[in-house]
Amino acid sequence: MTLTDTVAAAVRNAWSLTFGDGIEAPEPAPSTVVWDEPHRVLRRYDHDGPATGPATLLVPPLAAPATCYDLRPDQSLARFLCDTGRSPYLVDYGDITYADRRMGFEDFVDDIVPEAIRRVSADRGGAAVDLVGWSLGGVISLLTAAADPTLPIRSIIAVGPPLDYDHIYFMNELRLATKLTGGLGTSTFIRAAGGVPSTLTRVAYRVMSWDREVRRPWFVASNLADTATLARMETVDRFQNQLPGYPGRFYNQLFRRFMIANDIGRGVIELGDRKIALADISVPVLLVGGHNDVISPAAAVEGGLRTLTGSVDLRYVRVPGSHLGILAGPGARDTTWQHVDTFLSDVSHLS
């Protein structure tokens, strides 16, 4: 690239980031809606030809848009699964509002995700389904399988799932503060707001990624002529700006049973008057932890090796990247996605 080309690209990118429409417009992978009800839109990603490979259901977390699996063409696990001959589906919970404040883990573990699994299986002629869940989507996938062993689940891949809150940053301080206050401040706020508002979720995500925010002006200035790099940055910014909130009941369960009591770290989760044991999961499981993940550190993911003792094939890998980076970062194709491909291929040979 000549100096003239470099200057022209820098000027064009500077305009696009400030006064223009952005560096790159979103380009979602083609998909077809096969089920459409509130908080449970099911999409089947389209192939150029007939879809013949195993079905894979992508399960998003709460407080993150379902676009996490399809950020942009070269950062899309959904496209990768299509390219490797598989048949990916996505269940999308949509927006979470004050009206959804009574939704809890049970709504996802007993209703939304199981029904999506059954519909995907039916759409594929009754075949068992592979689940892929990122962050709390991985936790929900595991709890769904543990709660109902009759579901047509072939395997589970959990990317960055927090499976032991003793290894989550600042948990000791949070537990001490909760012990001193009885958790009144948190519970009162959540009840009044009906959950965690999307604005607070977005602020919290940025705080956890404070180093990225601090470096952002210098990053933009030093890459002003690099359109591809700025497009990836813009994609992450767009993702952060779309983060939804948590329903009130769901967050209270997350706070008390997971963060404070660490049920998940002990492998038995109390939901209402029943208990769900991770050891009841018998299907193959792959856990993926991130070296640089500050939201769900690798040690928190690795905790699943102590609790998922019933799995016929339990694997854990650690890859470079942040919480979002291990799923959809520029390097995910050569790390996480390759582990996903290998694991699913091995599962196919066992089936």
Side-chain angles (χ1 to χ4, degrees):
M1 180 182 289
T2 66
L3 178 60
T4 301
D5 291 337
T6 300
V7 172
V11 171
R12 183 172 59 252
N13 291 336
W15 174 269
S16 297
L17 287 173
T18 51
F19 304 106
D21 296 327
I23 300 292
E24 179 182 87
E27 188 181 344
S31 64
T32 300
V33 174
V34 297
W35 180 36
D36 188 354
E37 292 184 10
H39 300 307
R40 58 190 77 204
V41 175
L42 182 64
R43 297 183 179 276
R44 179 182 62 234
Y45 287 97
D46 300 334
H47 285 257
D48 292 334
T52 58
T56 304
L57 177 62
L58 303 173
V59 181
L62 273 291
T67 55
C68 59
Y69 296 111
D70 184 35
L71 288 181
R72 57 196 303 268
D74 64 346
Q75 292 176 263
S76 172
L77 179 58
R79 291 178 190 262
F80 175 80
L81 291 170
C82 285
D83 292 343
T84 52
R86 299 177 176 92
S87 303
Y89 294 71
L90 169 73
V91 58
D92 188 345
Y93 314 135
D95 292 333
I96 300 295
T97 67
Y98 182 80
D100 305 310
R101 60 192 179 279
R102 294 185 178 87
M103 292 180 71
F105 268 90
E106 296 91 339
D107 291 278
F108 299 91
V109 170
D110 296 331
D111 181 14
I112 296 173
V113 175
E115 184 62 22
I117 293 169
R118 295 187 188 99
R119 288 178 180 268
V120 170
S121 176
D123 197 54
R124 302 294 300 158
V129 179
D130 298 310
L131 305 184
V132 178
W134 171 59
S135 191
L136 279 177
V139 175
I140 290 172
S141 298
L142 293 167
L143 292 180
T144 299
D148 186 356
T150 69
L151 288 169
I153 299 173
R154 192 177 71 151
S155 71
I156 304 170
I157 298 172
V159 181
L163 297 177
D164 188 345
Y165 277 81
D166 285 348
H167 295 284
I168 301 291
Y169 297 127
F170 305 117
M171 277 301 108
N172 289 336
E173 291 81 357
L174 178 64
R175 288 166 181 168
L176 177 59
T178 301
K179 185 176 181 180
L180 293 174
T181 65
L184 292 177
T186 300
S187 59
T188 300
F189 171 79
I190 296 300
R191 281 197 300 271
V196 178
S198 58
T199 302
L200 186 58
T201 302
R202 294 164 191 172
V203 170
Y205 194 94
R206 291 182 182 276
V207 169
M208 293 297 288
S209 305
W210 63 270
D211 54 334
R212 177 181 183 272
E213 299 301 315
V214 169
R215 294 197 307 265
R216 191 179 190 281
W218 171 249
F219 181 86
V220 172
S222 59
N223 290 282
L224 201 52
D226 189 340
T227 303
T229 297
L230 292 180
R232 287 193 292 270
M233 178 204 72
E234 183 183 58
T235 297
V236 175
D237 289 343
R238 185 182 299 121
F239 173 82
Q240 290 180 336
N241 291 334
Q242 293 174 341
L243 293 175
Y246 288 101
R249 185 161 176 268
F250 183 98
Y251 186 80
N252 276 327
Q253 290 173 317
L254 179 65
F255 181 78
R256 295 187 177 279
R257 301 313 321 167
F258 290 71
M259 297 181 185
I260 303 303
N262 195 27
D263 284 0
I264 193 78
R266 297 174 178 82
V268 180
I269 294 83
E270 291 188 20
L271 290 180
D273 58 356
R274 65 171 174 156
K275 296 180 179 180
I276 301 176
L278 294 181
D280 290 341
I281 298 173
S282 60
V283 300
V285 176
L286 170 65
L287 304 175
V288 181
H291 280 297
N292 311 113
D293 191 341
V294 298
I295 294 177
S296 180
V301 179
E302 191 175 2
L305 296 178
R306 299 188 301 273
T307 55
L308 294 161
T309 54
S311 172
V312 67
D313 182 2
L314 177 60
R315 306 183 191 183
Y316 167 75
V317 295
R318 185 180 294 194
V319 299
S322 63
H323 194 56
L324 179 60
I326 61 176
L327 175 73
R333 177 179 296 274
D334 298 322
T335 54
T336 300
W337 298 0
Q338 294 305 315
H339 289 295
V340 168
D341 184 49
T342 299
F343 178 76
L344 291 179
S345 296
D346 291 346
V347 170
S348 293
H349 295 148
L350 292 173
S351 302

